[in-house]
Amino acid sequence: MTIEVATSVAGKKEMLTRTLKQSGHVGFDSLPDQLVNKSVQNGFVFNVMCIGETGLGKSTLMDSLFNTSFESTPSPHTLPNVKLKANTYELKESNVQLKLTICDTVGFGDQINKENSFKAVVDYIDTQFEAYLQEELKIKRSLVDYHDSRIHACLYFICPTGHGLKSLDLVCMKQLDSKVNIIPIIAKADTISKTELQRFKAKILQELKENNVNIYHFPVDDETVAETNALMNDHTPFAVVGSREFVKIGNKLVRARQYPWGTVQVENELHCDFVKLREMLIRTNMEDLREQTHQTHYALYRQKRLSEMGFCDVDNDNKPVSFQQIFEIKRAHHLSELQAKEDEVRQMFVQRVKEKEAELKESERELHSRFEKLKKEHAEEKRKLEEARQKLDEEYLEFTTHKTNYVASHHTMTLGKKSKK
Ligand SMILES: Nc1nc2c(ncn2[C@@H]2O[C@H](COP(=O)(O)OP(=O)(O)O)[C@@H](O)[C@H]2O)c(=O)[nH]1
Ligand SMILES: [Mg+2]
């Protein structure tokens, strides 16, 4: 047993490791069993993405791999863009539960302009990483119940042309190689002859190498599977055949494709690499694929996102800084920025108020002068009217005097005439 003890020697912390012998059985050798029990209880999650042109046999191969019939409708070749469709299934084998998600790239390679074919795929993978990151960053997170939708394995279906990879394949795989475990496979391998196949495989590997595309290599560091995995690495890309039909061979029903000249058995290693793929993908390396996804691809995404948010592990002098320190620096920076913005807004406001005030004063002055002018005009008018009235009064008075005089003189004249009679 090894115990690590931290001791303080001359003010410095040093780690000493002492090996102790126990006097009896303690029981922590059951830890692996505890782990297995817990994992079996929780069940497993595995997410596969199938990338490949419509009609290359993606859905058929998934049915063949998991020996079931996932519902799927053949997609047309007329879709305007690539859509990602994920379906989740609960499978059970013995007492092990597997939550399997199959993600299909509907319409991949069907557009005339294939420039953006990979974009939807990259976005989908990033979205799943982002969802996991957000869950991880929550204060109250529940990663145990969380349905992890990150893609663990990406089966890239290569068209069996015999000529090598298409540019779409290379571009797409290059975009994805740092985000997901890519397992290239040659689809519909029954359409390609034995000698052509070897040349085709070599050509594909050479093209991938020339373009620095990193595909998933089965791990060789675990000695229990190192030998098989190394051997299988030499067989990649696997040339596979899928089928939904069963044929009776001897007294066994087997998955096969029947042709006028013979029968291709899906699970016959002499006919194709289907068994190798199933062995490597499901039986031997599923856990490694899940681990690589978390430790390599997701870690890279997380690192990129956190550094985009301004977090880092060391400062400019290469000294370690904690999350809290960075948070506090960022907070102080943010607050000072906020203060500066507030001051700027306030100054702008004061300036605007001043301008408005000056405008108002100007219009008040204008109004005042207009009022004065009107007042003057009004007074002048009034004066003129007064004069006219006065003149009218005088004329009236004169008229009345004339009238009285006239009436009086007329009356005297009339009286004089009467006295004559
Ligand atoms: N020759 C051959 N045909 C296949 C193979 N796998 C599927 N097909 C056929 O190809 C057609 C399209 O298959 P499907 O699985 O719907 O393709 P998907 O559009 O990629 O999902 C069907 O008629 C299948 O029977 C194969 O391995 N070899
Ligand atoms: Mg399909």
Side-chain angles (χ1 to χ4, degrees):
M1 179 170 69
T2 302
I3 296 178
E4 288 193 335
V5 193
T7 53
S8 184
V9 181
K12 269 191 187 168
K13 249 192 175 178
E14 264 184 22
M15 296 300 276
L16 288 184
T17 309
R18 288 195 292 153
T19 307
L20 301 180
K21 263 208 157 45
Q22 299 145 236
S23 42
H25 178 243
V26 178
F28 58 75
D29 57 355
S30 73
L31 254 173
D33 302 330
Q34 293 177 31
L35 259 174
V36 169
N37 289 343
K38 205 170 177 117
S39 303
V40 169
Q41 237 175 40
N42 291 340
F44 295 85
V45 170
F46 190 59
N47 306 323
V48 198
M49 178 182 267
C50 296
I51 307 183
E53 290 170 33
T54 309
L56 263 187
K58 300 184 292 294
S59 305
T60 313
L61 191 82
M62 284 299 112
D63 281 8
S64 311
L65 266 180
F66 291 93
N67 207 9
T68 183
S69 179
F70 303 113
E71 75 271 18
S72 70
T73 36
S75 51
H77 290 271
T78 49
L79 295 177
N81 41 39
V82 182
K83 268 200 213 115
L84 277 284
K85 211 170 89 190
N87 283 314
T88 302
Y89 311 90
E90 301 258 3
L91 303 179
K92 197 166 180 183
E93 198 167 57
S94 309
N95 62 340
V96 178
Q97 279 216 311
L98 180 70
K99 203 172 198 179
L100 173 75
T101 298
I102 297 176
C103 183
D104 199 1
T105 48
V106 184
F108 186 82
D110 282 336
Q111 297 75 35
I112 294 172
N113 181 359
K114 299 181 174 55
E115 211 175 328
N116 287 327
S117 286
F118 60 84
K119 197 161 180 306
V121 184
V122 172
D123 286 350
Y124 180 88
I125 292 175
D126 281 348
T127 309
Q128 313 317 310
F129 280 154
E130 185 63 29
Y132 191 86
L133 180 67
Q134 289 308 322
E135 185 63 33
E136 214 184 43
L137 291 177
K138 272 186 191 169
I139 292 176
K140 213 174 154 190
R141 60 189 181 180
S142 54
L143 288 171
V144 181
D145 322 325
Y146 176 77
H147 178 215
D148 186 1
S149 54
R150 295 170 299 173
I151 299 296
H152 301 119
C154 164
L155 293 180
Y156 196 97
F157 288 65
I158 298 167
C159 199
T161 55
H163 286 266
L165 293 166
K166 297 182 184 182
S167 49
L168 172 65
D169 300 333
L170 282 170
V171 172
C172 187
M173 281 197 255
K174 188 70 214 148
Q175 291 289 328
L176 296 177
D177 71 352
S178 59
K179 293 180 181 291
V180 70
N181 298 312
I182 303 176
I183 303 176
I185 53 177
I186 299 167
K188 298 192 176 180
D190 52 331
T191 60
I192 196 160
S193 80
K194 217 171 166 180
T195 43
E196 269 177 351
L197 186 63
Q198 288 321 310
R199 256 185 284 137
F200 190 38
K201 279 191 179 186
K203 184 102 199 279
I204 291 169
L205 288 178
Q206 184 203 339
E207 284 183 349
L208 288 174
K209 202 169 159 202
E210 278 170 9
N211 290 282
N212 292 322
V213 178
N214 294 316
I215 55 167
Y216 174 73
H217 287 287
F218 306 116
V220 288
D221 46 3
D222 173 1
E223 59 195 39
T224 52
V225 288
E227 206 180 318
T228 342
N229 277 355
L231 195 71
M232 290 298 142
N233 277 329
D234 292 341
H235 273 87
T236 50
F238 294 136
V240 294
V241 174
S243 176
R244 289 187 176 113
E245 280 170 40
F246 288 84
V247 174
K248 202 161 186 182
I249 307 273
N251 52 4
K252 252 179 93 182
L253 264 186
V254 294
R255 264 182 207 272
R257 299 190 74 83
Q258 272 186 304
Y259 295 105
W261 58 88
T263 304
V264 184
Q265 294 166 33
V266 171
E267 296 188 31
N268 187 333
E269 287 207 59
L270 294 174
H271 293 188
C272 73
D273 299 332
F274 173 84
V275 173
K276 293 189 180 76
L277 174 68
R278 188 176 61 192
E279 194 76 26
M280 289 293 99
L281 180 73
I282 303 172
R283 298 188 183 171
T284 317
N285 298 307
M286 194 186 260
E287 188 50 30
D288 184 69
L289 285 160
R290 285 159 27 99
E291 222 174 88
Q292 288 298 322
T293 303
H294 186 69
Q295 283 171 8
T296 310
H297 303 302
Y298 171 67
L300 192 69
Y301 178 84
R302 184 176 171 277
Q303 187 188 337
K304 207 178 105 221
R305 284 285 289 126
L306 290 184
S307 49
E308 266 171 17
M309 289 181 209
F311 293 103
C312 52
D313 296 330
V314 286
D315 62 11
N316 292 339
D317 307 325
N318 229 16
K319 282 196 190 122
V321 274
S322 70
F323 199 80
Q324 190 192 348
Q325 276 170 306
I326 291 180
F327 172 73
E328 272 162 16
I329 294 169
K330 276 187 84 69
R331 189 165 182 267
H333 181 70
H334 174 71
L335 285 178
S336 71
E337 257 184 13
L338 210 70
Q339 188 62 43
K341 195 105 202 146
E342 203 179 309
D343 289 349
E344 194 189 311
V345 170
R346 190 173 293 133
Q347 265 178 8
M348 235 165 71
F349 179 72
V350 169
Q351 183 66 24
R352 286 288 301 276
V353 167
K354 270 188 193 158
E355 279 170 17
K356 204 81 206 166
E357 244 174 34
E359 265 175 42
L360 279 174
K361 273 210 176 106
E362 183 56 38
S363 54
E364 191 185 329
R365 210 173 300 127
E366 257 175 43
L367 267 177
H368 199 73
S369 65
R370 266 177 65 195
F371 173 71
E372 283 301 319
K373 197 176 154 209
L374 279 174
K375 210 165 115 183
K376 256 187 213 161
E377 281 172 7
H378 177 71
E380 183 66 14
E381 200 87 348
K382 202 174 154 190
R383 192 183 57 76
K384 277 184 189 160
L385 274 174
E386 194 59 38
E387 268 177 22
R389 196 171 68 91
Q390 236 171 22
K391 210 172 156 194
L392 207 69
D393 278 353
E394 276 167 20
E395 276 175 12
Y396 180 69
L397 198 68
E398 201 180 331
F399 169 74
T400 336
T401 323
H402 276 302
K403 190 181 163 194
T404 323
N405 288 346
Y406 172 77
V407 171
S409 66
H410 192 72
H411 187 62
T412 322
M413 273 170 63
T414 323
L415 276 179
K417 270 185 190 172
K418 269 187 181 169
S419 65
K420 261 186 190 177
K421 274 182 185 176

